[in-house]
Amino acid sequence: MKVHNPFRVAFVATLGVGLGLLLITSIQTLSTILLYVGTALFLSLGLDPVVGWLERRKLPRWAAVLITILGVLAVFAGIILMVLPIIFDQMGQIIAAITEVVKGGTAVQDLQAWLQGIFPNVKMDEVFTAVQQWIQDNLANIGGSIGQGVITVGFTILAGLTGAFIVLILTIYFTASTPALKKSVYQLVPASKRPRFIDLAEQITDSVGYYVMGQLSLGVINGVLSAIFLSIIGAPFPAVLAVIAFFFSIIPLVGTLTGSTIIVLICLGLSETPTTAIIAAIYYLIYMQIEAYVISPRIMNRAVSVPGAVVVIAALAGGALLGLLGALVAIPVAASILIIYRQVVIPRQNER
């Protein structure tokens, strides 16, 4: 009977634990980079069906990739150019409102008179004088807090733009080199199993691509229809609300409901009458039914069908692990697992 050296066994076990901890620490350290790479791969698979469609129109791949990337850039540049001026305008209005409060402008006097009519026994002039005095006394602290908040928001926006630029560069690279990347991966599989592996891999990548394009199409439809309808009913800032509808529609399962709720609440808070919010709520109730039973099935008919329970579990698990990106990626990953389960696991079990 062979006797193992306890020191050697303990050393090997300790080394294994150390390597495991090192791997976990490395993954945590590189989590942001891995997130960028995963997002770029996800987007490149979503753009691949568009590139393939252009290639079938007799365009070379470089031209198809260039047209696709330029189209994506044009869409996001349009969104940014549409939203940023409104954000700056709102910031200017907020600063003007603070300045008017400090100086005691006409709007403050009107508010004082209105409140005096509601509360006739309260000396509103003394209350407003005390409030203005407090603001003037603490103006430096308030300005410092606002300045720190602006700096923090500025760094956050800068970090987000940097990350978006990195993801964009990686997406362009992955989209342009998708065939070469696939070929390199396929070469790692033994020749006897390579045709079957290629077939499954192509099904998975096609399914992910059609899923991404389907979600983006749903977002575009919701965004365009929202912009038109909200402009007709006179909702506040219809362009911004349409962008909200677009981005939330990309989120699977609960995105449209969440975005619609936010839009209705904004209409309720910023509109002159609650009628606008009621009309918007009725519209989105009708739209969600049409999207669920008419638009979504037609758009998603080329993606792998995933049972509702699996969708819920995958979205929750992905969101818990990777946040919003995890919720987006989880469903195509679940669809890929279902393909492997149906076409690999079940046939092997039936052969036994």
Side-chain angles (χ1 to χ4, degrees):
M1 181 178 179
K2 185 177 181 181
V3 179
H4 296 281
N5 189 331
F7 176 79
R8 181 182 299 174
V9 173
F11 177 77
V12 172
T14 304
L15 184 62
V17 173
L19 289 175
L21 292 175
L22 178 63
L23 179 61
I24 294 173
T25 305
S26 301
I27 292 175
Q28 291 176 345
T29 304
L30 300 174
S31 59
T32 303
I33 298 176
L34 295 176
L35 186 62
Y36 290 159
V37 174
T39 305
L41 281 172
F42 187 68
L43 292 175
S44 65
L45 290 176
L47 295 176
D48 196 56
V50 179
V51 175
W53 182 83
L54 292 174
E55 284 186 303
R56 290 192 292 272
R57 298 301 183 273
K58 307 301 181 182
L59 284 176
R61 183 168 183 85
W62 68 266
V65 172
L66 181 62
I67 293 173
T68 303
I69 296 298
L70 289 178
V72 173
L73 290 177
V75 170
F76 280 96
I79 292 174
I80 292 174
L81 293 176
M82 180 172 55
V83 172
L84 284 183
I86 297 176
I87 293 176
F88 290 138
D89 180 65
Q90 291 299 298
M91 292 176 63
Q93 292 181 21
I94 292 173
I95 294 173
I98 294 174
T99 304
E100 188 175 8
V101 170
V102 174
K103 294 181 178 180
T106 305
V108 176
Q109 296 175 2
D110 294 340
L111 177 61
Q112 179 179 336
W114 179 70
L115 290 174
Q116 189 67 66
I118 297 177
F119 305 102
N121 297 325
V122 179
K123 296 181 179 180
M124 285 297 170
D125 54 344
E126 297 181 2
V127 173
F128 273 72
T129 300
V131 171
Q132 290 173 3
Q133 186 63 42
W134 181 87
I135 292 176
Q136 291 175 359
D137 294 340
N138 296 273
L139 191 59
N141 295 331
I142 295 173
S145 300
I146 294 175
Q148 291 178 0
V150 170
I151 292 174
T152 303
V153 171
F155 277 114
T156 303
I157 294 174
L158 180 62
L161 292 176
T162 303
F165 180 75
I166 294 173
V167 170
L168 175 63
I169 297 300
L170 290 175
T171 301
I172 295 173
Y173 171 76
F174 288 145
T175 304
S177 58
T178 296
L181 290 175
K182 288 182 178 180
K183 186 176 180 180
S184 300
V185 174
Y186 296 158
Q187 295 298 320
L188 298 175
V189 181
S192 59
K193 299 180 180 179
R194 194 173 299 162
R196 180 58 174 162
F197 179 84
I198 292 175
D199 179 54
L200 288 174
E202 291 295 331
Q203 290 185 51
I204 290 173
T205 54
D206 289 345
S207 175
V208 173
Y210 288 126
Y211 170 80
V212 176
M213 290 304 301
Q215 288 296 131
L216 290 175
S217 300
L218 291 175
V220 170
I221 292 172
N222 193 8
V224 172
L225 293 179
S226 294
I228 296 172
F229 183 79
L230 294 174
S231 299
I232 293 174
I233 66 174
F237 312 119
V240 177
L241 297 182
V243 173
I244 292 174
F246 166 75
F247 280 111
F248 274 92
S249 293
I250 298 176
I251 302 173
L253 199 63
V254 296
T256 302
L257 175 61
T258 305
S260 302
T261 303
I262 293 173
I263 292 172
V264 172
L265 291 176
I266 292 175
C267 291
L268 183 63
L270 300 181
S271 299
E272 296 180 357
T273 61
T275 306
T276 304
I278 295 173
I279 295 173
I282 295 173
Y283 163 77
Y284 280 109
L285 285 174
I286 297 173
Y287 172 79
M288 283 188 287
Q289 302 304 314
I290 297 175
E291 180 187 88
Y293 295 103
V294 179
I295 302 176
S296 184
R298 292 180 179 273
I299 291 179
M300 293 294 189
N301 62 350
R302 300 190 68 177
V304 175
S305 176
V306 181
V310 177
V311 170
V312 175
I313 296 172
L316 291 176
L321 291 173
L322 295 174
L324 177 59
L325 177 64
L328 293 174
V329 175
I331 296 178
V333 169
S336 304
I337 294 174
L338 282 177
I339 290 176
I340 297 173
Y341 172 75
R342 292 169 181 169
Q343 300 191 25
V344 176
V345 177
I346 292 179
R348 285 186 178 179
Q349 294 297 324
N350 291 335
E351 292 175 358
R352 292 183 176 180

